[in-house]
Amino acid sequence: QHQDRLAEPLRPYGHQRKPRRSALLFISCGDDFLTKFPDDAVVTENAITTIAETQTAVNGLYALMASQYYYAASLYFYGEVKGDDMQCLYISGRTPYTMYTFDQSTQSTGNGGLWGRPWYTIRNASNIIQAIDNNKITDAQSDPDQLNDYKGQAIAIRALAHFDLLRTHGYPYAKDQGASWGVPILDHAISLTEQPIRNTVAECYDFIIKQLKQAIPLLSSEKNNGQINAYAAQALLARVYLYREQNKEAFETARDLITELEKNRQYYLAPRNNYAAQFALNNKFGSESLFEIAFSASDNPGRDGLAYSMHWWGYADIVATKDFVDLMAEDPDDIRCQLLDQVYNGQEIEQNIRYWLMKYPGTSYGVPSVENNYMVFRLSEVYLIAAEAGLKAGGEYRSPALSYLNDIVSRANPDKSVSDAEFTLDRVLKERRKELVGEGHRYFDALRNNQTIIRKGGWHLDGIPEEINWDYTKCILPIPKEQFQMNPNMQQNPGYSRE
């Protein structure tokens, strides 16, 4: 199933191409947003007075999310190279390598912007919500449904940003039932005089869930390519419930979404014969795409985006691990094997072969793309949420959960299915690895289930942390030191200093 092609020679460790400036101009994104921010980085409540201005402000939220510091690169780097399915190929000073090596401290957080960028997004979302709630929109009665939809998008994005901050800077809920520190909850646009402290992980999850329940009824269910609709928000709610160990709620939310979509066919699982094609550059917003970050030839993150790092003729600094390649080799007839491509340095000998993931292909085999979209919520994940949550909930949920798992397994290989005796958490997580690789899930999946990530041998570089679980000191990111200089009441994560 693998496609063997001769590509350019393997680059020596330390090789790095000079990146060009991104085609998108984003504001500088430091890690001290909770204490200071540039005047041109935010849209104030008073600047939003019409539905048209509200639309512009909402579009601005997606532009913030589409930064290399968030959903164009950093969050995917974080979820992949800290795990055991993807790795860096060579030593560099780039963000993927910093994350791969867990090179993070209070002074140098190694977070790729994952503290600052979500906070900018939260502030701008709060200004939109406040403008609507405070009756600043002078033509609100001309299209109340549209205004409600914009408000719903802003609330859902604010919830998503809190969730991303929580899972990168707070321990998994299951570690201590949410008693440890999460992140500050900001349900309004923070002023320069405020000094918020961190809420607990449990409080943060309760806030996020409450926000999503508020957003979903406001949102349109119509397809809105590149933006969040009611179905995308429902998928997020199912994911949040799963992370919070509310397994019955996670299953029911995922099941209800799947059931509705099976009826209206607005979204559906990509069939086996079209599986690899759903990731093609010319197949954006496919049948499974509940929400993806959108780019174009004239509006993209350039070489700073995820696709350029994962393409063999780009930076080529992120490849599949040997452990993951061996996992896929267990079933060569699995259609997902088509997404692994061999490259080698002129002679097809084992020690020189590496595999790159073709979920972010270029315009041709030898030309990396900078305009790929990046998936945030895909329908396959919803099926796997239902499978995992139903398994954990047990009882009446077990049988339908197994059915949802087999929808994914049998789509990959019609001759395969999982029996009830084989239906275990390890089997579900194995399927998540195979289905969602490269989409930013693996590290979070292992951590929240207290699995130990093993990164030894194969093609791994020397000197990296080899075993990681939720007891590893650096399993979550530190709070940047700037926060403590301006806000001495802020709490730091265990194992990190405040200076």
Side-chain angles (χ1 to χ4, degrees):
Q1 295 291 326
H2 301 309
Q3 302 176 34
D4 302 332
R5 298 187 182 96
L6 179 62
E8 71 175 322
L10 290 173
R11 303 183 183 90
Y13 294 157
H15 174 84
Q16 179 175 320
R17 293 180 179 175
K18 183 178 179 180
R20 64 170 174 80
R21 183 176 296 274
S22 171
L24 284 179
L25 298 179
F26 290 107
I27 58 174
S28 175
C29 182
D31 278 331
D32 53 357
F33 176 74
L34 289 183
T35 56
K36 62 182 180 180
F37 43 85
D39 291 338
D40 63 350
V42 295
V43 178
T44 67
E45 173 189 343
N46 292 330
I48 305 171
T49 60
T50 66
I51 292 179
E53 289 170 348
T54 306
Q55 179 184 25
T56 299
V58 169
N59 289 341
L61 299 179
Y62 294 103
L64 284 169
M65 295 172 68
S67 163
Q68 70 190 70
Y69 303 112
Y70 199 4
Y71 270 102
S74 287
L75 192 59
Y76 296 100
F77 293 158
Y78 188 94
E80 293 298 335
V81 300
K82 286 179 176 287
D84 49 0
D85 292 340
M86 305 294 291
Q87 68 167 87
C88 286
L89 180 59
Y90 54 81
I91 298 171
S92 76
R94 286 174 27 80
T95 298
Y97 183 76
T98 301
M99 291 183 174
Y100 175 60
T101 58
F102 288 78
D103 184 14
Q104 55 206 45
S105 67
T106 311
Q107 295 80 18
S108 179
T109 57
N111 65 14
L114 289 177
W115 179 259
R117 182 61 52 164
W119 287 123
Y120 283 108
T121 307
I122 287 168
R123 178 179 174 83
N124 279 15
S126 294
N127 275 320
I128 294 169
I129 297 163
Q130 287 177 196
I132 296 172
D133 287 346
N134 292 339
N135 298 315
K136 296 292 182 70
I137 313 303
T138 57
D139 57 349
Q141 296 306 312
S142 65
D143 197 345
D145 290 341
Q146 182 64 75
L147 191 61
N148 278 337
D149 184 64
Y150 290 146
K151 180 180 177 181
Q153 289 185 58
I155 294 172
I157 290 171
R158 185 169 68 179
L160 176 59
H162 275 91
F163 175 64
D164 292 333
L165 285 161
L166 181 60
R167 60 187 179 142
T168 52
H169 292 82
Y171 287 114
Y173 180 88
K175 180 177 172 66
D176 55 12
Q177 300 305 297
S180 54
W181 293 119
V183 296
I185 292 175
L186 295 185
D187 60 356
H188 62 282
I190 185 175
S191 71
L192 284 171
T193 60
E194 289 184 72
Q195 294 187 338
I197 62 172
R198 300 170 72 181
N199 293 83
T200 66
V201 168
E203 290 170 338
C204 290
Y205 274 115
D206 289 345
F207 170 75
I208 293 165
I209 291 168
K210 183 178 179 180
Q211 290 282 285
L212 290 171
K213 286 184 174 180
Q214 181 183 353
I216 291 171
L218 297 172
L219 287 162
S220 168
S221 59
E222 296 299 316
K223 271 198 172 185
N224 193 6
N225 289 343
Q227 297 190 329
I228 291 175
N229 65 6
Y231 296 138
Q234 194 170 341
L236 173 56
L237 180 58
R239 186 194 292 181
V240 170
Y241 276 137
L242 184 70
Y243 275 59
R244 199 194 185 281
E245 299 289 313
Q246 291 185 234
N247 294 307
K248 291 182 180 180
E249 291 86 347
F251 175 85
E252 290 168 355
T253 303
R255 176 202 61 198
D256 292 349
L257 176 56
I258 292 168
T259 301
E260 183 170 355
L261 296 180
E262 284 177 343
K263 291 178 180 178
N264 64 32
R265 298 291 291 175
Q266 189 166 331
Y267 304 89
Y268 53 90
L269 289 179
R272 187 177 193 273
N273 62 5
N274 197 43
Y275 183 82
Q278 72 176 307
F279 301 104
L281 190 60
N282 62 355
N283 196 21
K284 297 178 179 181
F285 311 115
S287 67
E288 291 198 26
S289 174
L290 298 172
F291 172 49
E292 58 190 71
I293 301 294
F295 294 106
S296 67
S298 60
D299 185 0
N300 60 70
R303 296 182 182 182
D304 295 322
L306 174 66
Y308 206 83
S309 283
M310 284 195 172
H311 196 284
W312 193 247
W313 289 68
Y315 284 130
D317 55 359
I318 299 177
V319 295
T321 63
K322 190 173 188 304
D323 282 345
F324 183 74
V325 173
D326 290 344
L327 172 66
M328 296 304 299
E330 292 176 3
D331 181 11
D333 294 326
D334 189 316
I335 195 67
R336 293 166 297 195
C337 289
Q338 293 185 0
L339 293 175
L340 285 177
D341 199 359
Q342 291 183 4
V343 290
Y344 47 92
N345 66 345
Q347 294 182 349
E348 190 173 356
I349 52 179
E350 177 62 28
Q351 60 264 36
N352 291 329
I353 294 175
R354 299 295 182 269
Y355 293 78
W356 63 281
L357 182 67
M358 295 192 296
K359 282 189 174 178
Y360 309 102
T363 53
S364 66
Y365 178 76
V367 181
S369 173
V370 295
E371 61 191 81
N372 302 73
N373 285 4
Y374 299 118
M375 193 69 65
V376 182
F377 301 112
R378 183 159 68 90
L379 186 55
S380 286
E381 184 202 350
V382 179
Y383 278 72
L384 291 167
I385 289 172
E388 181 180 347
L391 170 68
K392 290 177 175 178
E396 64 184 287
Y397 298 97
R398 182 180 176 91
S399 179
L402 177 57
S403 178
Y404 288 130
L405 178 64
N406 276 321
D407 285 337
I408 301 299
V409 172
S410 299
R411 189 256 309 265
N413 183 346
D415 294 328
K416 298 287 186 178
S417 63
V418 177
S419 68
D420 185 75
E422 297 169 323
F423 189 30
T424 64
L425 179 59
D426 284 344
R427 184 63 186 85
V428 174
L429 295 179
K430 177 180 178 180
E431 202 60 32
R432 285 183 66 93
R433 290 178 66 185
K434 296 170 75 172
E435 182 64 36
L436 303 177
V437 61
E439 297 179 44
H441 293 275
R442 175 55 186 163
Y443 182 65
F444 299 115
D445 286 349
L447 208 63
R448 64 184 172 80
N449 283 292
N450 196 26
Q451 290 196 331
T452 297
I453 295 167
I454 307 296
R455 309 191 304 171
K456 296 179 182 179
W459 305 310
H460 280 296
L461 305 183
D462 293 335
I464 62 165
E466 294 182 341
E467 297 187 11
I468 300 103
N469 57 32
W470 67 25
D471 291 322
Y472 175 56
T473 301
K474 292 187 175 183
C475 72
I476 56 175
L477 293 171
I479 306 301
K481 67 177 182 179
E482 290 85 1
Q483 299 302 319
F484 308 109
Q485 294 169 355
M486 297 297 293
N487 184 359
N489 296 320
M490 179 74 77
Q491 306 90 344
Q492 180 57 286
N493 282 326
Y496 295 104
S497 70
R498 294 168 59 92
E499 299 178 351

